[in-house]
Amino acid sequence: MGRELLGDTSDDRISRQHARISIRDSTGTDPGVLRFGIMDLGSRNGTYASGQPLVDRAITVTAPVVVRTGRTVAMVLEDIRRFVDGTVAEHGDALVGPSSAPAWSETAAASAAGAHLLVLGEEGVGKSQHARRYSEARGVRDATFNPTVHAVPIERVLGDAATLILEEPGRLLPSHHEVLARLLAQRPELRVVTTASARLEQLGVPAPLASALSDRTVEVPPLRVRPEELSYAVARAARTAAPALTIHSTLIEMALLRPWPGNFRELTTAITQAAHAVAAQGKSNLRGEDLDTEAGYLMSGAPTVNASVQPTLMGARRRRRSVSKADDR
């Protein structure tokens, strides 16, 4: 890693030859696991692996792991094929990178085929964005029904719309199930796109109705397996909250090190709060240590993008690293 390889980098903190990342022999106690060696090459500004500085030493890690060299943040992965020639694009308020592009294609295909669609995913991953994409692709009037919001009958909310976006299906009452089954039978032009965190049968929807509403199923991946989109989400949230702030590389590093069980919704809230606080203090840089120490750790033992980090709420405060003058860049 260094300017020799990055070529057109604008990172003035990275050395010509900054760090070496190599594949280690995968034989031994666990031959099925690929190991990588990371070594700082005497760089001026240091190399950080999983947020920890490497000082005159090399370490062996298993992927994925976050590496910071100067102001450049990278990830070591076993398989990069999906990222080759990939880009991250903004479609409205949605971010679409190589990791989430297949789900977006499936949503568009379901709409084109005129199939009822079930959009599955954790809270905060952007299921409603997929529902809107489905509806926009159909090009007909839509209506949204959420039993926790609407106290009126489904028919009144639906009106003459031909696409129904159904939210919180686990809160539907038996009377709602009956109305939905009748609408599907009486209105052949009606298509339903349902957003849920679990299969409809698990949410109490009768099997025949659940089957009808699940012609096709799209699973939206969580943020922790969409690392290429994270920096874009951070930048957008910071730009919206405080446009004058500059994002420091440690903020991206810190964000990648956390599991974010609340996904994009939780990340956006945390970045927004941090940006407002930093701007109010008159600072110009939004850094990793400006994130709340508990942000991104709502779920004890949650999966994380870093194999070497075990995120727990109890340990979140202990992981906060003090910043020295040498690292003030």
Side-chain angles (χ1 to χ4, degrees):
M1 293 290 294
R3 286 198 307 273
E4 286 186 351
L5 287 176
L6 295 177
D8 60 352
T9 179
S10 60
D11 185 356
D12 60 355
R13 296 282 180 169
I14 193 169
S15 301
R16 185 172 59 86
Q17 293 184 352
H18 196 111
R20 176 181 293 118
I21 302 174
S22 57
I23 298 177
R24 292 283 174 86
D25 186 359
S26 61
T27 60
T29 56
D30 195 351
V33 177
L34 191 61
R35 294 177 175 82
F36 296 86
I38 304 176
M39 175 187 292
D40 182 77
L41 299 178
S43 65
R44 182 182 62 178
N45 294 299
T47 299
Y48 293 80
S50 298
Q52 302 301 316
L54 303 181
V55 181
D56 297 326
R57 66 189 180 102
I59 62 170
T60 300
V61 298
T62 55
V65 62
V66 177
V67 178
R68 177 164 59 89
T69 50
R71 289 195 176 104
T72 299
V73 181
M75 286 193 63
V76 178
L77 302 170
E78 285 193 6
D79 189 344
I80 64 168
R81 284 175 293 183
R82 76 174 183 269
F83 302 108
V84 176
D85 297 326
T87 59
V88 177
E90 292 190 69
H91 296 296
D93 59 349
L95 291 169
V96 183
S99 300
S100 62
W104 285 96
S105 296
E106 291 171 16
T107 295
S111 179
H116 299 297
L117 178 66
L118 171 62
V119 182
L120 289 176
E122 299 175 6
E123 293 298 320
V125 295
K127 297 188 295 293
S128 62
Q129 296 168 342
H130 280 259
R132 289 197 298 272
R133 178 179 175 85
Y134 175 97
S135 177
E136 290 168 1
R138 285 203 76 201
V140 295
R141 185 169 173 270
D142 64 49
T144 301
F145 181 79
N146 185 328
T148 65
V149 175
H150 298 100
V152 298
I154 296 178
E155 301 99 313
R156 185 178 301 178
V157 173
L158 178 62
D160 60 355
T163 299
L164 176 64
I165 299 174
L166 184 62
E167 300 176 342
E168 296 291 344
R171 302 296 184 89
L172 293 172
L173 301 173
S175 58
H176 293 138
H177 299 154
E178 295 173 2
V179 170
L180 283 170
R182 185 174 69 252
L183 287 172
L184 292 178
Q186 295 177 348
R187 295 186 55 178
E189 81 286 358
L190 178 64
R191 294 295 179 270
V192 181
V193 53
T194 309
T195 61
S197 57
R199 300 283 176 176
L200 297 182
E201 296 88 339
Q202 298 174 264
L203 299 176
V205 178
L209 179 60
S211 177
L213 295 177
S214 308
D215 279 347
R216 296 198 183 183
T217 300
V218 169
E219 296 191 18
V220 184
L223 173 59
R224 59 183 171 271
V225 298
R226 297 158 65 177
E228 78 278 14
E229 298 175 19
L230 181 140
S231 62
Y232 288 79
V234 169
R236 184 167 61 185
R239 184 172 62 243
T240 301
L245 288 180
T246 299
I247 295 174
H248 195 270
S249 57
T250 56
L251 179 63
I252 304 301
E253 176 190 37
M254 186 69 72
L256 282 169
L257 287 170
R258 302 188 182 190
W260 301 106
N263 295 290
F264 287 95
R265 186 180 302 156
E266 182 188 6
L267 175 70
T268 299
T269 299
I271 297 299
T272 299
Q273 291 174 346
H276 284 314
V278 168
Q281 295 169 22
K283 299 179 181 178
S284 60
N285 259 0
L286 183 58
R287 304 173 60 93
E289 62 265 24
D290 295 318
L291 274 178
D292 187 281
T293 54
E294 295 182 358
Y297 294 109
L298 294 179
M299 193 165 58
S300 177
T304 175
V305 78
N306 248 322
S308 58
V309 176
Q310 297 299 322
T312 62
L313 186 59
M314 184 181 300
R317 295 186 184 278
R318 292 197 296 271
R319 273 188 298 276
R320 185 172 184 178
R321 179 171 58 83
S322 60
V323 180
S324 64
K325 289 184 178 180
D327 188 41
D328 188 20
R329 52 190 182 275

